[in-house]
Amino acid sequence: MHRKSGPFIFAVVCALIGAHAHALPSDIEQEIRIEAERATLDQKQGITTYTGDVQFSQGSMSINADTVIFHFNTETQKIDKIHATGSPVLYQLQPTEDKGLMRIEATEVTATFDGNPQRRISTINARGVPALYQQQPTPDKGIISARAQSITYTPSSQSLALEEHASLEQDGASMSGTRIVYDLNKEVMQAAGGESEDRKRIEIIIPPQTIQEN
């Protein structure tokens, strides 16, 4: 590897250290480990590509994929986007101490970062057939399992948007439709059907035990 790549590799690592500010505070103190069969660095384009059973980890955050591409601002060397593809991609992260591990499984996962100096994640988009999102919001509540062709998670608003063949399950209850938007903080859910005749309606299933308890 050419010696000029050294500073760029260092910039890659520095960018990643501050890249997932929505993870556990202790994660930033943990070592970064990146394993792959091949790595390609394009300093002019600001792109680093890892291929072949890629494994990235730091604290509670981990990415397992076939290919992971890091996009950087060539002037600031700050990270702009991470794009991972695989069969499947597995993305895991524990947002806070009181929440369970967030797990995303999909064929494509893209994490986009905002323009702030801290480079916080603004959105995580997952696509699959279907993509899967799972998390236990608090220890006393059941795991949320969401499936859709496209899943968009917005950390700042704790919003989950499911598009195309969307479904969401928790504690035996389920909802399905063409589009579901779930506010994870307020626990408010909105669902809508599609335009075609066979998808105009949404479906909600509530187990008998839940009805009796309420």
Side-chain angles (χ1 to χ4, degrees), residues 12-21 27-30 32 56 58:
V12 169
V13 174
C14 288
L16 288 172
I17 289 174
H20 45 90
D27 283 357
I28 198 170
E29 301 170 1
Q30 306 300 315
I32 291 175
F56 167 88
Q58 186 186 21

Side-chain angles (χ1 to χ4, degrees), residues 100-131:
L101 192 70
M102 181 183 76
R103 174 188 174 98
I104 295 175
E105 191 173 314
T107 54
E108 292 184 50
V109 176
T110 304
T112 305
F113 298 82
D114 60 26
N116 295 324
Q118 295 85 0
R119 277 303 196 269
R120 294 177 180 272
I121 295 176
S122 57
T123 58
I124 297 175
N125 180 259
R127 295 196 63 84
V129 282

Side-chain angles (χ1 to χ4, degrees), residues 118-153:
Q118 295 85 0
R119 277 303 196 269
R120 294 177 180 272
I121 295 176
S122 57
T123 58
I124 297 175
N125 180 259
R127 295 196 63 84
V129 282
L132 169 67
Y133 169 100
Q134 288 184 323
Q135 186 178 27
Q136 186 173 12
T138 56
D140 61 328
K141 294 184 178 179
I143 294 174
I144 296 170
S145 291
R147 290 175 172 82
Q149 299 294 101
S150 175
I151 298 176
T152 301
Y153 170 64

Side-chain angles (χ1 to χ4, degrees), residues 22 39-40 42 70 87 124 141 171 179 183:
H22 294 281
T40 303
D42 188 333
F70 297 96
S87 52
I124 297 175
K141 294 184 178 179
D171 294 325
R179 175 179 170 81
D183 187 319

Side-chain angles (χ1 to χ4, degrees), residues 138-193:
T138 56
D140 61 328
K141 294 184 178 179
I143 294 174
I144 296 170
S145 291
R147 290 175 172 82
Q149 299 294 101
S150 175
I151 298 176
T152 301
Y153 170 64
T154 306
S156 60
S157 61
Q158 286 292 291
S159 173
L160 196 64
L162 315 175
E163 301 275 359
E164 301 176 48
H165 302 287
S167 66
L168 192 146
E169 300 177 14
Q170 186 179 26
D171 294 325
S174 66
M175 174 180 286
S176 60
T178 301
R179 175 179 170 81
I180 299 174
V181 178
Y182 187 31
D183 187 319
L184 297 169
N185 279 337
K186 298 179 180 178
E187 299 184 3
V188 174
M189 194 182 308
Q190 297 179 345

